[in-house]
Amino acid sequence: MATNSVTKTDRTLDPVTFEVLKNAFATSVDLMSEQILRTCYSFVIYSRDFSSALCDAEGNTVMQGSADIAVHVGTLHFQAKAVMEEFGDDIHPGDVFMINDPYRGGTHFNDVSFVRPIFSEGEIIAFSQNKGHWADVGGVVPGSFYVNAGDHFGEGLRITPVRVWSKGTFLKDVAQLIVSNTRAPEQALGDLHAQSEATAVCEREILRLVDRYSKQTVVDAMQETQDYVERTVLERIKGLPRGTWETVDYLDNDPSTPEGMVPIRIKLTIDDDGIHYDLNGSAPAVGTFLNSAYGTSHSSLYSGTKTFFPDVPLNSGFYRAVTADLGPEGTVINAQWPNAVTGFCAGPHEKIMNGVFELWSRVMPERAMACSFNLEYLLVGGRDARSESRPYFMWYDWMAGGWGGRSNQDGSNATAPVFGAGLAVQPLEGQERLSPVITTEHAIATDSGGPGRFRGGCGIEKGGMLTDGDKTVMSYCCDRARSITWGIEGGLPSSPQGVWLNKGTDEQQFLGSVFSSVPIGPGDKFTRPSAGGGGFGDPLERDPAEVCEDVIDGYVSVERAGLDYGVVIEVGDPELDEYSVNEDATKALRDEIRSKRAGGLAEDPAAVAERYRGGEIGELDAIRRYGVILDWGTGELLEETTKQYRERMSVRTSGHWA
């Protein structure tokens, strides 16, 4: 239930002062972010994998950055409160604290936060803080993404709230202890100073406002900024339908149990008190690092909801209007110490966000959106043989991909993941300078967008090759090789994600979407696609002329224009983009597909798998025409997974076909 609502008579600031200070708070946070961007040492943080926030004296978020990573949203206030709980009255001007503990409201161990109390007249009036992704925090593998971790001890250094500046004095021994447990201590130490100094930038801005407007005015404005957001959200939902909506999405599998996808169940209720989520019924924690602790699960719900209220500022007022019951402790979305949680970002986080998108698409159909591609990380790490000192290197890569088709337009192509729309794709030139890995291809993946009346955005195919690495291993975190990005309202799925090693050679291997510590040597090549977004609406209702334009643009192949859209494209001169639609053949083909397609989802999965292994059909046929999920390397039928996938496909897709 929403609490602490403030009525108009409770406001103390005049509208002009309130608006000025509200925007000044946003500026103070963005200045902090700009400071990090200009002074960080880590290429990962430079690629905008960081967020910042201003919190009030109770640790409640007043303002977050305008380009923050979505996954950090909703966790920063938990960490400010964790510092307050840990140190109580033992907090002083000039103190700076560190924390990365997922079990105290953080995200994963790579995300290291710095929290600075802001004092005025001897009293704490606020906290400034930021969170940045360190490229390595120890653990079993370079980059600290150890998929097979059974508990957090294999993932890296857990930093409970710890003081690194005491009354303005740098505690060098504490900092040295922390950074010495990483594979790049000089880089980590540089980021430590950069992030700490950024919190000082925010502190200076807030104290400048205090000097100009008075301490009490600034404190009142922090409270009223939160109250304003809560009022705005509650006012917005007055015009929305009341009721309860449910859905389920899946992790690909739990390797500690038999084959089958891992359910994450989400229930949304809207009533006069606010927005409420219930995640009871989600699966127990899995035997890999694809679990989510409470902070990140809350973050997923807040971020997914905020997508449907894009103009509303995000702070603790929003959190008061959005409540959640995560269910019992020990589940995949409410994991407890010492469950491994580093892979939450590619696991429950994006499953929850896309599930929330699906639920709100029913509530606000004018803003509806199908499933978007899954965040993925590929890490190649070892010793850099290009240098005589052979330092550790971490080639740490993520890709853009496709967002889901919308109720009135195609999904975005090659866009940052919903994990963080501000996340920048790392420059290839910078990667090649810092690591002995070269990029061999980076292009739009044709046919990756889920077919629909509005097509899902296209994903990317990216390849690389190790050159001068020694003792090098590769790890990958994604998790949409089986729970493939889905369409809604009759739209079709996208394509599987996963990594191929030495594809097209006698030594090719499909490594899947989640693995760790695969040895590779100089000359080994790897490639992987990001998925596109799911389609929205029946693909047979897409304008054939638009399908033809997709073919010209390289988004859809001539073959799949016929198989997925029922559009027959005649090819003239491809170099001159001479393509046209055969309207009579298209009408006949669409009629034929309509009469047969529902039966495809009832065909014997074993027979479909046999046809795939024999080369008669490809993976997109297996998925889109038959709803059959296989091990894409061996062609082995995944019976339970297929059963689960078909059930959801009947709800999201075939159930909407005329």
Side-chain angles (χ1 to χ4, degrees):
M1 179 180 293
T3 58
N4 301 322
S5 296
V6 177
T7 64
K8 186 173 182 179
T9 56
D10 294 317
R11 303 176 212 168
T12 60
L13 301 182
D14 66 86
V16 173
T17 301
F18 167 72
E19 195 66 27
V20 168
L21 286 173
K22 176 169 68 72
N23 287 286
F25 296 150
T27 299
S28 71
V29 176
D30 284 343
L31 286 173
M32 179 162 41
S33 298
E34 192 66 24
Q35 176 77 10
I36 296 170
L37 191 64
R38 293 176 181 273
T39 60
C40 64
Y41 277 53
S42 166
F43 198 51
V44 178
I45 294 180
Y46 180 74
S47 297
R48 301 205 70 97
D49 195 346
F50 67 85
S51 298
S52 305
L54 171 69
C55 296
D56 65 19
E58 296 179 354
N60 301 310
T61 302
V62 175
M63 192 64 65
Q64 295 203 201
S66 58
D68 278 351
I69 299 301
V71 71
H72 298 163
V73 168
T75 65
L76 296 171
H77 68 292
F78 287 134
Q79 294 190 292
K81 291 176 182 293
V83 168
M84 297 171 66
E85 292 167 1
E86 190 76 18
F87 290 92
D89 294 333
D90 187 21
I91 299 177
H92 311 281
D95 286 351
V96 180
F97 304 91
M98 287 180 69
I99 177 175
N100 77 343
D101 190 347
Y103 314 110
R104 300 288 295 274
T107 46
H108 53 195
F109 299 103
N110 293 77
D111 286 340
V112 182
S113 292
F114 290 78
V115 181
R116 179 187 294 267
I118 300 174
F119 282 79
S120 177
E121 300 174 6
E123 178 185 5
I124 295 176
I125 61 168
F127 291 88
S128 61
Q129 66 166 311
N130 62 69
K131 182 196 299 273
H133 185 117
W134 287 15
D136 185 275
V137 287
V140 174
V141 298
S144 310
F145 270 48
Y146 183 47
V147 169
N148 300 322
D151 53 44
H152 101 262
F153 300 107
E155 299 186 280
L157 181 65
R158 176 189 179 191
I159 306 170
T160 57
V162 61
R163 200 188 323 255
V164 285
W165 268 265
S166 178
K167 300 178 181 178
T169 300
F170 179 48
L171 304 180
K172 183 178 179 181
D173 54 342
V174 175
Q176 195 64 37
L177 172 66
I178 292 170
V179 302
S180 295
N181 280 279
T182 76
R183 290 177 174 83
E186 292 182 359
Q187 183 183 103
L189 186 62
D191 287 336
L192 182 151
H193 283 284
Q195 290 181 257
S196 173
E197 182 57 31
T199 63
V201 169
C202 182
E203 177 188 42
R204 289 195 291 270
E205 283 299 300
I206 296 303
L207 293 180
R208 182 181 65 82
L209 295 175
V210 168
D211 289 342
R212 182 170 182 179
Y213 292 96
S214 83
K215 181 181 80 171
Q216 191 59 52
T217 299
V218 171
V219 169
D220 288 345
M222 290 182 187
Q223 181 61 52
E224 292 193 22
T225 298
Q226 297 171 64
D227 297 337
Y228 161 77
V229 171
E230 182 187 15
R231 282 196 311 272
T232 301
V233 174
L234 294 177
E235 185 65 28
R236 291 284 180 88
I237 67 173
K238 285 183 179 179
L240 298 178
R242 299 300 190 253
T244 297
W245 300 262
E246 299 182 51
T247 191
V248 60
D249 203 353
Y250 297 93
L251 302 185
D252 278 0
N253 71 311
D254 179 354
S256 64
T257 63
E259 176 263 316
M261 296 189 293
V262 178
I264 296 172
R265 304 188 185 279
I266 311 169
K267 181 186 295 184
L268 164 68
T269 298
I270 301 176
D271 59 28
D272 292 341
D273 292 324
I275 299 163
H276 315 287
Y277 290 101
D278 183 344
L279 277 68
N280 279 278
S282 298
V286 297
T288 70
F289 74 164
L290 292 174
N291 297 296
S292 176
Y294 73 92
T296 49
S297 292
H298 277 97
S299 171
S300 308
L301 297 169
Y302 297 147
S303 301
T305 307
K306 175 66 169 64
T307 303
F308 286 77
F309 299 87
D311 59 322
V312 177
L314 188 63
N315 60 29
S316 289
F318 194 93
Y319 310 152
R320 295 200 299 251
V322 180
T323 65
D325 176 3
L326 300 184
E329 295 180 349
T331 66
V332 69
I333 50 84
N334 194 10
Q336 304 295 305
W337 180 89
N339 287 128
V341 295
T342 294
F344 82 92
C345 43
H349 174 72
E350 294 217 340
K351 309 304 187 300
I352 294 173
M353 280 195 71
N354 278 292
V356 169
F357 292 165
E358 182 184 14
L359 296 176
W360 279 96
S361 293
R362 301 175 195 169
V363 177
M364 301 171 67
E366 72 279 6
R367 298 191 61 85
M369 181 171 71
C371 185
S372 295
F373 87 105
N374 209 78
L375 169 76
E376 48 90 70
Y377 287 113
L378 182 62
L379 292 89
V380 177
R383 308 306 289 261
D384 189 346
R386 298 176 303 173
S387 173
E388 187 175 341
S389 63
R390 304 171 72 83
Y392 277 104
F393 76 91
M394 277 81 68
W395 186 86
Y396 194 102
D397 191 54
W398 57 81
M399 290 203 296
W403 282 40
R406 304 291 299 272
S407 59
N408 58 2
Q409 62 187 22
D410 294 341
S412 298
N413 298 316
T415 301
V418 296
F419 163 89
L423 194 64
V425 173
Q426 299 183 63
L428 309 183
E429 298 83 358
Q431 290 180 316
E432 292 177 353
R433 179 179 178 182
L434 295 171
S435 302
V437 177
I438 61 172
T439 297
T440 56
E441 62 176 326
H442 196 203
I444 289 284
T446 301
D447 294 325
S448 58
R453 178 159 40 93
F454 294 102
R455 175 183 46 76
C458 288
I460 296 292
E461 181 87 21
K462 185 173 183 181
M465 181 179 72
L466 180 68
T467 58
D468 302 292
D470 186 28
K471 297 181 179 178
T472 303
V473 296
M474 182 164 61
S475 302
Y476 188 61
C477 173
C478 178
D479 195 64
R480 281 274 192 207
R482 301 179 182 181
S483 57
I484 296 163
T485 304
W486 32 266
I488 61 173
E489 300 295 322
L492 290 172
S494 173
S495 52
Q497 297 188 218
V499 178
W500 286 88
L501 183 61
N502 296 318
K503 189 175 184 179
T505 72
D506 293 339
E507 300 175 346
Q508 76 171 15
Q509 299 177 62
F510 180 67
L511 300 176
S513 63
V514 181
F515 60 83
S516 277
S517 303
V518 174
I520 62 172
D524 278 336
K525 295 182 179 180
F526 49 87
T527 184
R528 91 269 194 196
S530 60
F536 181 97
D538 188 344
L540 298 186
E541 296 177 1
R542 186 168 177 82
D543 185 343
E546 292 183 357
V547 176
C548 189
E549 284 298 316
D550 286 341
V551 171
I552 292 171
D553 291 335
Y555 299 153
V556 175
S557 67
V558 171
E559 178 188 21
R560 297 232 65 93
L563 291 170
D564 295 330
Y565 293 95
V567 175
V568 179
I569 302 292
E570 296 183 343
V571 182
D573 187 342
E575 292 188 2
L576 298 178
D577 287 338
E578 289 183 351
Y579 298 88
S580 60
V581 177
N582 185 322
E583 295 185 2
D584 291 338
T586 293
K587 183 180 184 305
L589 180 57
R590 284 186 160 181
D591 288 343
E592 180 184 0
I593 292 174
R594 281 192 181 94
S595 68
K596 296 180 178 179
R597 60 182 174 178
L601 295 178
E603 287 206 23
D604 179 12
V608 174
E610 184 64 31
R611 293 168 66 191
Y612 174 82
R613 290 190 293 268
E616 183 181 344
I617 62 173
E619 64 181 23
L620 292 182
D621 293 313
I623 297 162
R624 295 174 181 174
R625 296 172 66 185
Y626 304 107
V628 171
I629 308 299
L630 311 170
D631 180 303
W632 305 112
T634 66
E636 175 191 358
L637 173 64
L638 303 174
E639 293 187 26
E640 181 62 25
T641 298
T642 294
K643 178 181 177 182
Q644 293 168 301
Y645 197 81
R646 279 184 163 183
E647 188 277 328
R648 294 312 301 170
M649 199 168 173
S650 70
V651 172
R652 294 177 172 130
T653 301
S654 62
H656 296 269
W657 290 338

